Short mmCIF file of all heavy atoms in Angstrom, two decimals:
data_model
loop_
_atom_site.label_atom_id
_atom_site.label_comp_id
_atom_site.label_asym_id
_atom_site.label_seq_id
_atom_site.Cartn_x
_atom_site.Cartn_y
_atom_site.Cartn_z
N LYS Z 294 21.39 88.34 120.69
CA LYS Z 294 20.73 89.66 120.98
C LYS Z 294 21.78 90.82 120.82
O LYS Z 294 21.47 91.88 120.24
CB LYS Z 294 20.15 89.70 122.39
CG LYS Z 294 18.99 88.78 122.56
CD LYS Z 294 18.56 88.76 124.04
CE LYS Z 294 17.54 87.74 124.39
NZ LYS Z 294 17.22 87.70 125.81
N ILE Z 304 15.78 96.26 115.05
CA ILE Z 304 15.39 94.86 115.15
C ILE Z 304 14.59 94.57 116.42
O ILE Z 304 15.02 94.84 117.53
CB ILE Z 304 16.58 93.94 115.00
CG1 ILE Z 304 17.32 94.15 113.65
CG2 ILE Z 304 16.19 92.42 115.14
CD1 ILE Z 304 18.60 93.35 113.57
N ILE Z 334 16.80 83.63 113.26
CA ILE Z 334 18.24 83.71 113.47
C ILE Z 334 18.64 82.59 114.37
O ILE Z 334 18.32 82.62 115.56
CB ILE Z 334 18.68 85.10 114.07
CG1 ILE Z 334 17.92 86.21 113.41
CG2 ILE Z 334 20.14 85.20 114.04
CD1 ILE Z 334 18.23 86.45 111.97
N TYR Z 367 32.60 78.69 115.57
CA TYR Z 367 33.76 77.79 115.55
C TYR Z 367 34.55 78.03 116.80
O TYR Z 367 35.10 79.11 117.03
CB TYR Z 367 34.66 78.21 114.36
CG TYR Z 367 35.83 77.35 114.02
CD1 TYR Z 367 35.90 76.56 112.90
CD2 TYR Z 367 36.94 77.32 114.93
CE1 TYR Z 367 37.02 75.78 112.58
CE2 TYR Z 367 38.05 76.57 114.61
CZ TYR Z 367 38.05 75.76 113.47
OH TYR Z 367 39.19 74.99 113.21
N LEU Z 394 46.47 82.74 120.73
CA LEU Z 394 46.38 83.72 119.69
C LEU Z 394 45.57 83.11 118.48
O LEU Z 394 45.59 81.88 118.30
CB LEU Z 394 47.72 84.11 119.20
CG LEU Z 394 48.58 84.87 120.20
CD1 LEU Z 394 50.02 85.06 119.70
CD2 LEU Z 394 48.01 86.23 120.56
N ILE Z 408 40.47 81.30 116.87
CA ILE Z 408 41.33 80.84 118.02
C ILE Z 408 41.08 79.33 118.16
O ILE Z 408 39.95 78.90 118.33
CB ILE Z 408 40.93 81.60 119.31
CG1 ILE Z 408 41.15 83.07 119.16
CG2 ILE Z 408 41.72 81.02 120.45
CD1 ILE Z 408 40.65 83.84 120.44
N PHE Z 417 38.14 74.63 128.20
CA PHE Z 417 39.48 75.29 128.38
C PHE Z 417 39.37 76.49 129.26
O PHE Z 417 40.20 76.76 130.16
CB PHE Z 417 40.00 75.71 127.05
CG PHE Z 417 41.40 76.23 127.06
CD1 PHE Z 417 42.51 75.36 127.07
CD2 PHE Z 417 41.63 77.60 127.13
CE1 PHE Z 417 43.82 75.84 127.05
CE2 PHE Z 417 42.92 78.08 127.14
CZ PHE Z 417 44.01 77.19 127.15
N MET Z 419 37.09 76.99 131.67
CA MET Z 419 36.88 76.56 133.02
C MET Z 419 38.13 76.00 133.70
O MET Z 419 38.46 76.28 134.84
CB MET Z 419 35.79 75.48 133.11
CG MET Z 419 34.46 75.93 132.57
SD MET Z 419 33.71 77.24 133.53
CE MET Z 419 32.33 77.57 132.51
N PRO Z 424 40.89 79.53 136.54
CA PRO Z 424 41.72 79.28 137.74
C PRO Z 424 42.85 80.31 137.91
O PRO Z 424 43.34 80.49 139.00
CB PRO Z 424 42.30 77.89 137.54
CG PRO Z 424 41.30 77.18 136.70
CD PRO Z 424 40.76 78.25 135.70
N ARG Z 432 36.30 83.22 140.22
CA ARG Z 432 36.74 81.80 140.39
C ARG Z 432 35.61 81.02 141.06
O ARG Z 432 35.32 79.86 140.62
CB ARG Z 432 38.01 81.68 141.18
CG ARG Z 432 39.18 82.32 140.51
CD ARG Z 432 40.52 81.76 141.11
NE ARG Z 432 40.61 81.90 142.55
CZ ARG Z 432 41.02 82.94 143.23
NH1 ARG Z 432 41.43 84.05 142.52
NH2 ARG Z 432 41.06 83.00 144.55
N TYR Z 447 27.33 80.36 136.14
CA TYR Z 447 27.90 80.61 134.78
C TYR Z 447 27.12 81.64 134.01
O TYR Z 447 27.71 82.69 133.58
CB TYR Z 447 27.92 79.24 133.95
CG TYR Z 447 28.52 79.38 132.63
CD1 TYR Z 447 29.92 79.42 132.44
CD2 TYR Z 447 27.71 79.51 131.49
CE1 TYR Z 447 30.51 79.54 131.18
CE2 TYR Z 447 28.29 79.68 130.22
CZ TYR Z 447 29.68 79.67 130.09
OH TYR Z 447 30.24 79.80 128.83
N SER Z 449 24.78 83.85 134.97
CA SER Z 449 24.64 85.17 135.58
C SER Z 449 26.03 85.90 135.63
O SER Z 449 26.03 87.13 135.82
CB SER Z 449 24.21 85.03 137.04
OG SER Z 449 25.11 84.21 137.85
N TRP Z 459 31.64 93.13 126.17
CA TRP Z 459 32.12 92.44 124.95
C TRP Z 459 32.13 93.40 123.74
O TRP Z 459 31.08 93.92 123.43
CB TRP Z 459 31.21 91.25 124.68
CG TRP Z 459 31.59 90.41 123.56
CD1 TRP Z 459 32.87 89.98 123.29
CD2 TRP Z 459 30.76 89.80 122.52
NE1 TRP Z 459 32.82 89.16 122.15
CE2 TRP Z 459 31.58 89.03 121.70
CE3 TRP Z 459 29.37 89.84 122.32
CZ2 TRP Z 459 31.03 88.32 120.60
CZ3 TRP Z 459 28.86 89.18 121.26
CH2 TRP Z 459 29.66 88.41 120.43
#
Side-chain angles (χ1 to χ4, degrees):
K294 294 176 190 176
I304 298 175
I334 316 296
Y367 186 112
L394 295 174
I408 299 177
F417 186 84
M419 300 295 174
R432 296 199 307 272
Y447 183 80
S449 61
W459 186 42

